[in-house]
Amino acid sequence: MPLKLSAGLTKKVGLPNYGSLGAACHVELELDSALLQSPEALQVQVALAYEVCRRAVEAELARDPAEPAAANDHSNGHVEATSPATDRQLAYARQLATEIPGIGFRGLEELVEQRLEKQLSELTLREASRLIERLQKVKAGQMPPPTLWETPLS
């Protein structure tokens, strides 16, 4: 009889003008009941499920909340797409870059300097969001690393 594993993660962050942004991820999977004989192996599966949710939630929170609707509306907690990238976005982009062979932290900085003629810390919300999306695709093998450099971020 298979085991059923349910894992979930919810996170909410504050935004200017008393707004907030939240994201949730919940997964449910069936595992081989033989994992009960190996608690370490079961724990690995649990950790993987939570890691998938953690990454999905972080990616969603790093996504530009102003796009496409209400990009300039501050009254409901949205921020402008031209606002500076958040520290969370930049940290996540750096983390992704270090997890991709051949890119790394310095490669990420060079990419931004070459493509946008600005420093990583000068990215807008929209640019950082698009950069993160592309880094995720490269890491997942859905986009080759050179494509990251060939397509505009803005």
Side-chain angles (χ1 to χ4, degrees):
M1 177 175 184
L3 297 174
K4 185 187 270 189
L5 170 65
S6 295
L9 183 68
T10 302
K11 187 171 184 179
K12 195 170 196 179
V13 294
L15 292 175
N17 299 322
Y18 305 102
S20 65
L21 179 65
C25 173
H26 297 276
V27 295
E28 189 172 291
L29 29 126
E30 288 187 3
L31 302 173
D32 188 343
S33 60
L35 285 173
L36 290 175
Q37 304 303 316
S38 176
E40 297 82 17
L42 178 59
Q43 183 57 42
V44 167
Q45 294 299 315
V46 171
L48 285 172
Y50 276 108
E51 179 64 14
V52 166
C53 281
R54 184 190 65 77
R55 288 176 186 236
V57 166
E58 289 300 323
E60 185 62 24
L61 291 175
R63 195 175 59 79
D64 184 354
E67 230 180 59
N72 296 313
D73 182 3
H74 288 271
S75 64
N76 62 4
H78 283 95
V79 292
E80 290 187 27
T82 56
S83 297
T86 65
D87 291 340
R88 183 180 310 262
Q89 283 179 306
L90 297 177
Y92 187 51
R94 288 182 185 113
Q95 174 193 336
L96 286 169
T98 60
E99 294 172 358
I100 300 169
I103 295 182
F105 181 77
R106 185 65 200 140
L108 178 65
E109 290 181 338
E110 290 173 4
L111 163 70
V112 172
E113 289 172 13
Q114 289 172 2
R115 299 299 299 159
L116 299 174
E117 299 178 351
K118 60 171 82 173
Q119 300 294 312
L120 183 65
S121 60
E122 298 172 331
L123 291 180
T124 66
L125 280 171
R126 178 175 294 161
E127 292 165 337
S129 178
R130 290 184 177 155
L131 176 63
I132 288 167
E133 288 173 4
R134 291 180 186 171
L135 289 169
Q136 289 172 327
K137 287 180 180 179
V138 170
K139 185 177 175 196
Q142 299 169 344
M143 177 185 281
T147 305
L148 190 64
W149 277 263
E150 295 167 1
T151 54
L153 294 172
S154 53

